[in-house]
Amino acid sequence: MSVTRTPKTVAQHDSGTVFASPPALRSPAKVASFVEQVLVELRHEAVAARYVTDLDQTGAKTIWCRVEHTTLDVDAAYVQIRNDPRLGVGIEPCSQATVRERLCQCLDHDRVGRVDVRPLAGVEFESG
């Protein structure tokens, strides 16, 4: 996967993580609020919401980002990219509503996984 990097965006998000998921004790209201913050970032910056299934970050990863910040030829506003060491990389076009729903599901159901927002240019997936 390749992405479009602009000097302004890269400089603005040098630190790696823009913000990370809320604490483990999550209320539905806090989850919804966090997800809305993520969606605002996704709309306005070349960032990705990244979900990692385990805290040592060696497991499967999923990111959601706006298609316009990638070189992917996809007829959708957003794309979901899954990278599973066992299955490889899978790309699925999706809508903003789908991103909202899936992020909420991740935060509601998985207490050890995490979601963060980071520069899209800094998100790496191994292919193969």
Side-chain angles (χ1 to χ4, degrees):
M1 176 184 96
S2 62
V3 297
T4 302
R5 292 174 60 151
T6 64
K8 178 183 173 191
T9 301
V10 173
Q12 191 172 12
H13 297 298
D14 267 344
S15 65
T17 299
V18 178
F19 56 91
S21 59
L25 296 174
R26 301 171 182 140
S27 71
K30 285 184 180 179
V31 167
S33 175
F34 175 78
V35 169
E36 289 307 317
Q37 290 175 29
V38 169
L39 290 172
V40 167
E41 289 290 322
L42 291 179
R43 280 193 297 270
H44 299 294
E45 301 291 340
V47 295
R50 183 183 71 147
Y51 168 68
V52 182
T53 58
D54 59 3
L55 295 178
D56 67 5
Q57 300 185 11
T58 59
K61 297 176 182 75
T62 304
I63 70 164
W64 294 271
C65 62
R66 287 191 57 89
V67 171
E68 70 186 72
H69 298 300
T70 74
T71 58
L72 298 171
D73 185 20
V74 176
D75 188 25
Y78 293 86
V79 65
Q80 174 179 289
I81 304 168
R82 286 190 181 136
N83 184 24
D84 187 311
R86 298 164 295 158
L87 304 173
V89 176
I91 299 171
E92 175 187 340
C94 60
S95 66
Q96 180 177 324
T98 301
V99 174
R100 178 182 290 113
E101 177 185 332
R102 291 182 182 165
L103 279 170
C104 285
Q105 287 172 346
C106 291
L107 290 167
D108 280 340
H109 300 297
D110 185 351
R111 298 298 184 210
V112 295
R114 61 182 305 239
V115 172
D116 62 21
V117 175
R118 57 185 51 225
L120 186 57
V123 176
E124 295 180 14
F125 287 107
E126 296 107 28
S127 54

